[in-house]
Amino acid sequence: MKWLADMTAFFRIHGAKPLIIGMFAYGIGMGILAPMNAVYMRDGIGLSKWEITSIFSIALLLNMITTIAVGLISDRMKRKKTLPVIASVLCIIGLTIYMQASTYGIALIGMIFIVAPSGLIMGQLFAMARNHFMRHASAFFEMAQIWLRTTYSVGFFTGLLVGANVYLFADFKGILWGNLLGYVMLLALLLVFREEEVGSLSQKSMGEPLSIVMLIALLLLSCGDALRGLYLPLVVVQKFKEPQLMSYLWSAQAVFELLFMTLAGYWAAKYGSKKVIYIASLCALVVYITYALSPPLIIFFMVQPLYSFFVSVLYGVAMGYVQRMFHTRVGFGSSLYVFLSQTASLVGYVLPFLVPGYQPTIFVIPAALVMTSLALMTFILLREKRIPNNSPLKHHG
């Protein structure tokens, strides 16, 4: 089978092992902290809902400014590795501050150092990887990048399982130390990775016409996912009274996401990225409506595979789609995709103030966002269907 041969070849790509292992280690560190971070701020530090949201929002706003600014200049740099190396060091410094936080001010300073430079890590790692894969895996470099994102996801879900168990015997401090170790491992592996001067490889990448409407649709989908990422842990903890349940809930996605990212990548190549994104969005809509109905815990677990498919498409297929819009400027395309995710997170943090407390009805908001995104994508797909295949307007929207 072609996919199996390609996947085997992925782990043998010349010089890419530090990048692949580094992404896995980074995923572990993120997975250990992600479901517990908002809970730590609330229960460990004693912050209010407004204080938690303001910390995330301020740090994220600085992250967005940094990410897009660096994305604009990164394509002029012969070596991009310096950017994630510096960002990793700053994140480590921020974590050491955050671990000592007992007030709103210290927590804010720590999160700024952690979050503000972190956009450089994902954006520039994927820019470096795309260039590296185009040189050493030109026959399947699009899938190689999706598998690199999958490697992060596998690490993330491994971190979820580790974090749930660490919390049981080491409380929140163990969670923070685990996150710190993930950054240290990433930094070490980045220093080992040998970045090559790439030159012009854009001819190997098929471009996509710029579509502002699709970028808006993806932004809305990312807003819904960001809202879920922040508030689902808080809703689950309030409803079921056990913080570690969130880690188990997210870790249930691990096997499904590995499978779905692979399938979604090949389906996108065969049927088109927009159609796969549309179907995945329908899955997300079903999940958000289910959350809003406040079902029993078993239902939360049962809908995870559907959401896993959506996330696989949003962070795999959609990332490649945006990069191809700017395929001659890999650094900017990668940073723009991260910037969209960050913008979505900022909006996702603010919108739930329309709903008091941490009630499941919060998920009516991402359901509405997905419905709006589906309407935009329906317009684009119907327009493309009406335009003949040989028309120069095909795929513009």
Side-chain angles (χ1 to χ4, degrees):
M1 292 184 288
K2 185 179 186 301
W3 70 267
L4 185 58
D6 287 348
M7 183 176 285
T8 302
F10 166 69
F11 291 102
R12 298 175 179 171
I13 295 174
H14 175 75
K17 282 188 175 60
L19 197 61
I20 295 170
I21 299 171
M23 189 69 79
F24 178 73
Y26 183 53
I28 290 177
M30 294 298 100
I32 288 174
L33 181 62
M36 297 290 190
N37 201 11
V39 180
Y40 168 67
M41 288 187 187
R42 187 186 67 183
D43 298 343
I45 304 177
L47 303 181
S48 67
K49 182 179 179 180
W50 180 89
E51 288 174 327
I52 293 171
T53 303
S54 67
I55 286 175
F56 277 112
S57 300
I58 292 169
L60 190 60
L61 184 61
L62 294 174
N63 186 326
M64 292 164 59
I65 294 170
T66 304
T67 300
I68 201 66
V70 173
L72 290 169
I73 64 172
S74 66
D75 289 303
R76 302 173 191 171
M77 301 173 64
K78 292 183 178 179
R79 307 282 186 179
K80 294 181 173 62
K81 189 173 80 168
T82 304
L83 297 172
V85 166
I86 293 173
S88 298
V89 172
L90 291 175
C91 289
I92 290 170
I93 293 171
L95 264 169
T96 60
I97 297 172
Y98 188 56
M99 291 170 71
Q100 310 301 319
S102 58
T103 64
Y104 171 81
I106 301 300
L108 175 61
I109 292 171
M111 281 298 289
I112 287 175
F113 272 92
I114 296 169
V115 175
S118 64
L120 302 186
I121 295 176
M122 289 297 280
Q124 297 310 310
L125 274 180
F126 282 116
M128 287 163 52
R130 191 174 182 86
N131 285 336
H132 192 88
F133 294 157
M134 278 194 288
R135 176 176 291 279
H136 296 287
S138 58
F140 62 98
F141 72 90
E142 292 281 3
M143 282 307 306
Q145 182 152 283
I146 287 178
W147 283 323
L148 183 67
R149 180 59 179 78
T150 306
T151 301
Y152 171 82
S153 294
V154 173
F156 184 85
F157 291 117
T158 301
L160 290 176
L161 287 174
V162 172
N165 290 284
V166 167
Y167 175 78
L168 293 176
F169 68 84
D171 203 42
F172 290 118
K173 289 300 181 183
I175 296 293
L176 294 170
W177 277 107
N179 185 239
L180 180 63
L181 181 60
Y183 277 113
V184 170
M185 291 176 65
L186 172 65
L187 176 60
L189 288 158
L190 277 173
L191 293 174
V192 172
F193 176 67
R194 183 178 179 182
E195 184 182 10
E196 302 173 3
E197 290 191 26
V198 177
S200 178
L201 295 173
S202 61
Q203 68 274 11
K204 295 184 179 180
S205 175
M206 297 296 292
E208 293 270 4
L210 176 64
S211 173
I212 301 300
V213 177
M214 273 302 296
L215 288 176
I216 294 172
L218 291 176
L219 175 62
L220 293 173
L221 294 178
S222 297
C223 283
D225 181 61
L227 190 150
R228 172 191 179 268
L230 179 63
Y231 285 93
L232 184 61
L234 297 171
V235 169
V236 168
V237 170
Q238 179 163 303
K239 183 175 174 62
F240 302 109
K241 312 302 180 185
E242 297 182 50
Q244 69 272 20
L245 276 178
M246 195 58 229
S247 292
Y248 293 132
L249 185 62
W250 277 0
S251 66
Q253 293 181 210
V255 175
F256 293 106
E257 191 158 326
L258 175 61
L259 172 65
F260 288 150
M261 274 204 178
T262 299
L263 292 176
Y266 283 103
W267 288 342
K270 185 175 182 179
Y271 301 110
S273 296
K274 289 188 284 292
K275 291 180 181 177
V276 174
I277 294 170
Y278 188 93
I279 293 171
S281 301
L282 291 174
C283 294
L285 181 60
V286 170
V287 173
Y288 292 143
I289 292 173
T290 302
Y291 288 161
L293 295 175
S294 189
L297 182 62
I298 185 64
I299 302 300
F300 277 83
F301 278 94
M302 289 177 65
V303 297
Q304 286 302 95
L306 285 177
Y307 203 79
S308 179
F309 178 65
F310 169 67
V311 170
S312 298
V313 172
L314 186 63
Y315 294 116
V317 173
M319 179 183 66
Y321 176 70
V322 173
Q323 285 181 326
R324 289 193 299 276
M325 288 186 189
F326 304 92
H327 71 121
T328 59
R329 298 188 62 194
V330 175
F332 176 74
S334 299
S335 291
L336 178 63
Y337 178 78
V338 174
F339 180 80
L340 286 175
S341 299
Q342 294 162 338
T343 304
S345 296
L346 188 61
V347 174
Y349 295 157
V350 174
L351 282 179
F353 276 100
L354 300 173
V355 180
Y358 302 110
Q359 300 302 319
T361 48
I362 282 177
F363 295 104
V364 170
I365 299 171
L369 294 173
V370 171
M371 291 178 67
T372 306
S373 179
L374 284 167
L376 293 175
M377 287 188 283
T378 299
F379 167 76
I380 292 174
L381 290 171
L382 289 176
R383 182 185 177 188
E384 288 184 357
K385 192 174 182 179
R386 291 195 300 267
I387 298 174
N389 288 331
N390 59 353
S391 169
L393 297 177
K394 183 72 172 175
H395 302 310
H396 287 261

